[in-house]
Amino acid sequence: MTSQKLRWTAAVGALLVAVAVALLWSRLAPPPSPGDTAPLAVGGAAPQTPRGTPGAGAGASAPAEREPAVEQLPMPGCWDGLHAFDASVSMDTFRQALAAAIGSGDHYLATYLQERLTELVGTDPARALQVLEWARSASGPELGIYMDALKAAPAVHTSQVAQRLLKMGEDPGATLQQRSAALDALETQRKLTAGDIQRLKTLALDETLDSTAWVATRTLGRVMKEDFALTGNYAPYWKELLDIGSTSDDMAVRLLALEMPSYSNPVIGEESFDSLKRILANDRERDVREMAAFRLGLTTKPEQALDIFRDAFEKEHDLCVRWAIFRFAVRASGEKALPLLEQFAAKDPRFTQDYLEFRALYASGTVDFARIWLGKREHHNCLVEEGAPH
């Protein structure tokens, strides 16, 4: 038989099989209901059978199963007049459009307008200052949109805009929400002068400001991160953050001040040791003492850090703070910390297994702390997610 005949025979066979399956299905499948052929309603809802049609009354065949609901994802709408608005938008017309979007609860339109405001401000400090004037009488979502738009605009890096934001953060006549929003908008600065660092520190230590003091602390830390990434400079910021972490009456502010270097990971020098030693020995909050141990774990003087860890472990009675001292001693000095870990385990047998595991990991040839930590099992119920209660 030729190849052409073989192809013809195969095609005929496939056709006969398809016909047979169709006939069998028609015998097994239930007859369609009158409503089965109706189109889906808009949005995917099941169609409704009109009254008086066959199947609507008693004695009709069983109703067809409802069509499954179709998931509808929220999508931004097409806003009437948006094209014309884009063509003619100005600083004079913007506030009216934003008020309409906020009043209607249209989150997508409000977000779009925030991005447009950033574009409108651009590099123009005069427009940025105009937005700050609007913010003086704003609150809620309107205030947030103004400040977030300004924060993303290049004009925020001009001296006059940055100084106006700082003055607004200091203004006792402004609401705490306005003051916090102004300080938050400062955090994208690439550097701060020594005087501005001191002004932010003063706000961070003002216990009457509540969350605004926390925002001032975070802004100090985030500008430190920017400056460190660009120039390698962190010392003037860290000096004041360390002082805030030592002296603030607000536990959340103290903790944040010590945490902020974690986002740029500068190597701490011995000039910080006295303050960190006092915090580790005396702070009344476990979380703050743990954070002080963390800061000591990345230093130019690991031998001195181990001496501080040895004294602190002796005086500490909280299991979780001791565990922080134990593991960050490893981070500070690597395999050279093993003799100290052996002493810790002898004093507190709860850490014996930890010592043996760290010793085995270093004996395997691993030296990088990140890999050491990934290979280490957890034996203490101390590591909790940020914000979770202890």
Side-chain angles (χ1 to χ4, degrees):
M1 185 178 293
T2 65
S3 59
Q4 183 176 2
K5 289 182 178 180
L6 284 171
R7 288 195 297 270
W8 173 254
T9 302
V12 171
L15 179 60
L16 290 174
V17 169
V19 171
V21 170
L23 290 172
L24 180 61
W25 175 253
S26 66
R27 292 179 182 179
L28 295 176
S33 299
D36 285 350
T37 57
L40 280 177
V42 175
Q48 302 296 317
T49 303
R51 293 189 180 185
T53 58
S61 59
E65 293 184 4
R66 284 179 173 271
E67 292 284 349
V70 178
E71 182 180 13
Q72 297 294 313
L73 298 177
M75 296 293 290
C78 294
W79 300 289
D80 290 339
L82 185 61
H83 181 71
F85 171 81
D86 273 335
S88 62
V89 63
S90 68
M91 297 294 285
D92 294 330
T93 60
F94 179 85
R95 294 185 75 185
Q96 182 179 358
L98 179 60
I102 293 174
S104 65
D106 193 330
H107 169 74
Y108 293 107
L109 180 55
T111 300
Y112 173 80
L113 292 175
Q114 176 182 311
E115 295 168 354
R116 290 292 284 119
L117 182 56
T118 294
E119 295 173 1
L120 282 171
V121 172
T123 60
D124 188 342
R127 289 187 171 186
L129 294 175
Q130 185 176 350
V131 173
L132 280 177
E133 281 301 311
W134 296 345
R136 289 171 60 87
S137 58
S139 61
E142 183 184 12
L143 175 64
I145 288 170
Y146 290 152
M147 290 305 196
D148 286 344
L150 184 59
K151 181 178 177 180
V156 79
H157 297 290
T158 60
S159 175
Q160 57 265 51
V161 176
Q163 287 301 308
R164 184 71 67 84
L165 284 168
L166 188 49
K167 286 180 181 178
M168 188 172 179
E170 295 171 320
D171 183 4
T175 66
L176 288 181
Q177 185 190 23
Q178 290 168 334
R179 296 175 73 174
S180 294
L183 297 177
D184 177 75
L186 268 176
E187 69 177 26
T188 57
Q189 298 296 301
R190 299 184 182 98
K191 67 180 301 179
L192 294 170
T193 67
D196 291 344
I197 290 173
Q198 290 300 318
R199 291 165 71 183
L200 280 170
K201 179 185 177 183
T202 298
L203 293 171
L205 289 173
D206 189 341
E207 60 187 71
T208 68
L209 294 183
D210 196 29
S211 61
T212 301
W214 188 91
V215 175
T217 306
R218 187 183 65 181
T219 296
L220 260 179
R222 288 189 170 171
V223 179
M224 177 180 71
K225 178 179 181 294
E226 291 292 319
D227 202 349
F228 181 70
L230 292 171
T231 68
N233 180 38
Y234 79 94
Y237 306 91
W238 168 235
K239 178 178 181 293
E240 305 309 334
L241 285 168
L242 182 56
D243 194 43
I244 293 168
S246 303
T247 58
S248 172
D249 289 331
D250 188 326
M251 175 266 191
V253 169
R254 295 199 310 279
L255 181 62
L256 181 66
L258 297 177
E259 179 187 352
M260 290 314 298
S262 306
Y263 302 99
S264 48
N265 275 333
V267 182
I268 302 301
E270 60 184 323
E271 66 279 357
S272 303
F273 283 177
D274 286 345
S275 294
L276 289 172
K277 183 177 180 179
R278 284 195 301 272
I279 295 170
L280 191 53
N282 301 318
D283 197 280
R284 60 186 180 274
E285 297 291 344
R286 160 196 149 180
D287 288 3
V288 179
R289 299 198 303 278
E290 286 180 288
M291 191 58 70
F294 182 29
R295 285 279 69 81
L296 277 168
L298 190 61
T299 174
T300 58
K301 301 289 184 180
E303 297 82 4
Q304 295 181 37
L306 291 186
D307 289 339
I308 296 173
F309 282 137
R310 180 183 291 106
D311 293 341
F313 191 94
E314 181 72 26
K315 298 171 184 176
E316 182 61 60
H317 298 289
D318 186 283
L319 168 67
C320 292
V321 180
R322 277 190 164 184
W323 173 225
I325 293 169
F326 196 98
R327 69 183 185 273
F328 292 126
V330 179
R331 188 185 189 215
S333 199
E335 190 173 6
K336 293 180 180 178
L338 289 176
L340 180 60
L341 301 191
E342 186 176 17
Q343 296 174 28
F344 288 164
K347 180 174 181 60
D348 191 337
R350 292 175 294 184
F351 296 101
T352 300
Q353 188 62 35
D354 297 297
Y355 163 66
L356 295 174
E357 288 174 3
F358 276 126
R359 187 178 68 178
L361 284 165
Y362 280 109
S364 73
T366 305
V367 294
D368 181 75
F369 179 75
R371 290 182 173 85
I372 289 286
W373 185 242
L374 287 172
K376 178 72 179 68
R377 289 184 292 172
E378 176 60 48
H379 302 292
H380 313 288
N381 189 25
C382 294
L383 301 181
V384 296
E385 293 187 8
E386 184 178 357
H390 294 300

